[in-house]
């Protein structure tokens, strides 16, 4: 149903009971923050971000709307060709703990959050009293969870872990679905595995009453998680990032956005003698970022968008594990991000400043309203998380 608290209609369909689920998620988020502060030694008792708590570093940047931007994209932040803004960018891990960047030899989701400062226009939410536009991105074009209901089940599972960090039970139904029904002559270890996992599901009240839609969402989540695990990032400044969820783009239009390095070099370790695929340092992504910023050549990104009309097929506004048809081929550059060098992205002053920042997709212009259940959830959950850890603004 269209949202009525906004000057533009939206193509959203809000499931019954979602508001209560989001309330519970906001409460669970702060409980999990407290559990990690208490039980994770690396936090030293400090309450950190509910997601993306491990920073690789922050940089100052310039966000410039292209002079040649097509007229059809001159909406909201992009309304004035050549307009230039100051910005802060934070690079991070999505893992809820500040652990090894390559824990267990597996890749994790990486994030790039941009805060464009001093924008003009009708705002959704102010950012500590300021009019800023935030763009939150990850290094895959899909989120790992489709909707609020699925994400709530994950958080309920995390609550049972002392560190609030073990999601593995969430994926057991997807593993069972992959194993399929028993087959004549199948290996004994497959039968034993199926029986073992089925016994866990049968006893677990969070897993034994999944609807067919719940199971489909869990399978989709498992596929995205596998994609993330298979996607190596050796330098957080050398990969493309995606907003993943849809956003409004003025009346009647929906957008997705992405940032990609301009003429990126092939990914390489910051120091071939220190970083190898088999034995990288714990914070190798921060070290790579610091190394990238130690020279004198600016790092540049194309900030890109693509738009669709409300009537287009395959928008899947309420399923954040999906992409649009031919999505990755249809991004159009509308702005240029320039990160001057040298900078010190991990100096004490910069890290302290960045930890005080709160990023939310709801810090922004009404023309770019976040859409879909995952985004509706983020409004309240991110606000509660930031307030709980004492971050500036929401």
């Amino acid at each position: 149903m269209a949202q009525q608290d906004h000057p533009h209609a939206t193509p959203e369909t809000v499931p019954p009971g979602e508001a209560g689920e989001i309330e519970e998620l906001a409460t669970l988020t702060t409980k999990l923050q407290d559990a990690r502060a208490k039980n994770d030694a690396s936090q030293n008792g400090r309450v950190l971000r509910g997601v993306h708590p491990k920073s690789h570093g922050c940089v100052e940047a310039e966000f410039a709307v292209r002079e040649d931007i097509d007229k059809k994209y001159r909406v909201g932040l992009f309304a004035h060709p050549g307009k230039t803004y100051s910005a802060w960018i934070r690079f991070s891990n999505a893992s809820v703990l500040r652990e090894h960047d390559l824990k267990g030899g597996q890749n994790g989701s990486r994030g790039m959050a941009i805060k464009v400062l001093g924008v003009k226009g009708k705002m959704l939410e102010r950012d500590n009293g300021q009019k800023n536009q935030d763009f939150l991105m990850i290094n895959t074009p899909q989120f790992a969870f489709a909707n609020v209901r699925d994400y709530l089940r994950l958080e309920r599972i995390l609550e049972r872990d002392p560190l609030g960090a073990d999601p593995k039970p969430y994926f057991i139904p997807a593993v069972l679905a992959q194993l399929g029904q028993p087959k004549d002559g199948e290996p004994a270890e497959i039968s034993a595995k199926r029986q073992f996992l089925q016994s866990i599901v049968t006893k677990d009240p969070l897993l034994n009453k999944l609807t067919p839609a719940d199971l489909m969402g869990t399978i989709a989540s498992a596929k995205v998680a596998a994609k993330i695990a298979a996607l190596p990032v050796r330098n957080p400044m050398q990969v493309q990032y995606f907003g993943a969820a849809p956003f409004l783009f003025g009346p009647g239009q929906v957008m997705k956005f992405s940032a990609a390095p301009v003429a990126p070099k092939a990914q390489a370790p910051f120091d071939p003698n220190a970083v190898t695929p088999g034995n990288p340092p714990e914070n190798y992504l921060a070290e790579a970022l610091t190394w990238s910023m130690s020279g004198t050549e600016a790092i540049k990104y194309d900030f890109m968008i693509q738009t669709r009309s409300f009537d287009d097929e395959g928008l899947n506004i309420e399923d954040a594990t999906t992409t649009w048809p031919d999505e990755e081929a249809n991004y159009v550059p509308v702005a240029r991000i320039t990160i001057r060098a040298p900078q010190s992205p991990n100096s004490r002053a910069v890290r302290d400043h960045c930890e005080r920042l709160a990023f939310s997709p709801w810090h922004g212009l009404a023309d770019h309203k976040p859409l879909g259940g995952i985004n509706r959830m983020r409004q309240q959950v991110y606000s509660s998380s930031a307030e709980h850890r004492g971050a500036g603004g929401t």
Side-chain angles (χ1 to χ4, degrees):
M1 70 182 177
Q3 302 295 289
Q4 302 300 319
D5 59 345
H6 186 266
H8 304 316
T10 74
E12 295 174 281
T13 304
V14 182
E18 183 184 87
E21 293 172 342
I22 291 175
E23 285 279 354
E24 182 179 349
L25 272 166
T27 300
L28 278 172
T29 295
T30 56
K31 288 180 66 175
L32 290 168
Q33 285 176 284
D34 288 339
R36 293 162 194 151
K38 178 181 179 181
N39 298 320
D40 180 12
S42 75
Q43 295 193 195
N44 296 317
R46 293 181 299 151
V47 175
L48 303 179
R49 284 175 166 86
V51 291
H52 292 265
K54 185 175 183 179
S55 170
H56 308 314
C58 285
V59 293
E60 293 182 82
E62 176 184 277
F63 188 99
V65 180
R66 289 178 66 104
E67 293 277 4
D68 62 350
I69 185 171
D70 192 291
K71 288 184 179 179
K72 68 180 179 179
Y73 298 128
R74 296 179 188 179
V75 174
L77 183 69
F78 312 101
H80 303 290
K83 177 70 175 176
T84 300
Y85 302 89
S86 296
W88 278 95
I89 301 177
R90 180 180 187 263
F91 295 90
S92 63
N93 281 349
S95 171
V96 297
L97 298 180
R98 295 196 306 170
E99 53 199 1
H100 195 297
D101 288 335
L102 204 61
K103 182 184 178 184
Q106 283 212 323
N107 302 288
S109 181
R110 317 304 184 189
M112 178 187 190
I114 305 172
K115 186 177 291 294
V116 181
L117 307 176
V119 304
K120 296 185 183 299
K122 179 177 175 58
M123 303 297 293
L124 294 166
E125 292 182 0
R126 290 188 177 235
D127 177 15
N128 195 24
Q130 304 302 308
K131 298 178 72 172
N132 301 328
Q133 175 72 52
D134 289 358
F135 294 110
L136 282 64
M137 293 173 284
I138 51 178
N139 64 314
T140 52
Q142 303 149 289
F143 278 111
F145 302 95
N147 51 46
V148 174
R149 180 181 172 90
D150 288 357
Y151 199 81
L152 177 58
R153 186 165 67 256
L154 169 75
E155 293 288 280
R156 287 170 173 169
I157 287 170
L158 293 182
E159 185 188 18
R160 304 186 303 199
D161 177 48
L163 287 177
D166 183 9
K168 289 191 290 293
Y170 178 91
F171 296 102
I172 290 176
V175 178
L176 270 174
Q178 185 179 35
L179 291 174
Q181 297 299 314
K183 302 177 183 67
D184 292 338
E186 71 179 5
E189 58 268 26
I190 298 297
S191 297
K193 182 177 181 179
R194 183 188 294 106
Q195 291 173 11
F196 173 69
L197 295 178
Q198 186 61 61
S199 69
I200 294 175
V201 169
T202 301
K203 297 174 184 177
D204 192 332
L206 294 179
L207 302 179
N208 61 19
K209 296 179 181 178
L210 299 189
T211 67
D214 293 336
L215 180 58
M216 287 179 61
T218 305
I219 293 170
S221 292
K223 290 179 178 179
V224 176
K227 181 178 180 180
I228 291 169
L231 190 62
V233 176
R234 294 187 289 277
N235 187 326
M237 303 194 85
Q238 293 179 352
V239 296
Q240 185 172 0
Y241 295 88
F242 303 86
F247 291 73
L248 203 64
F249 195 71
Q253 296 285 314
V254 181
M255 78 164 174
K256 288 191 177 182
F257 54 81
S258 176
V262 176
K265 301 175 183 177
Q267 285 195 72
F270 80 102
D271 180 348
N273 297 316
V275 179
T276 66
N279 186 31
E282 180 177 356
N283 302 310
Y284 76 94
L285 292 172
E287 295 175 7
L289 193 152
T290 297
W291 174 79
S292 296
M293 287 281 88
S294 65
T296 58
E297 184 177 355
I299 305 292
K300 298 182 180 182
Y301 294 82
D302 277 331
F303 187 86
M304 305 177 291
I305 66 171
Q306 60 182 283
T307 61
R308 309 285 168 104
S309 74
F310 288 1
D311 297 327
D312 283 352
E313 296 285 337
L315 292 182
N316 291 326
I317 297 296
E318 301 298 338
D319 185 350
T321 62
T322 60
T323 56
W324 291 344
D326 301 317
E327 178 177 315
E328 292 187 56
N330 289 319
Y331 282 103
V332 176
V334 292
R336 173 62 59 87
I337 299 167
T338 301
I339 304 171
R340 62 170 178 79
Q343 289 192 50
S344 299
N346 281 295
S347 70
R348 174 61 65 86
V350 169
R351 293 183 74 89
D352 287 349
H353 170 75
C354 212
E355 284 308 299
R356 291 193 296 270
L357 297 178
F359 291 90
S360 169
W362 291 85
H363 294 160
L365 294 164
D367 278 331
H368 307 316
K369 180 185 178 184
L371 302 176
I374 290 294
N375 271 332
R376 291 190 296 272
M377 173 198 76
R378 292 160 97 190
Q379 182 176 26
Q380 185 169 345
V381 169
Y382 284 20
S383 176
S384 296
S385 171
E387 183 177 353
H388 192 62
R389 69 183 179 88
T394 57

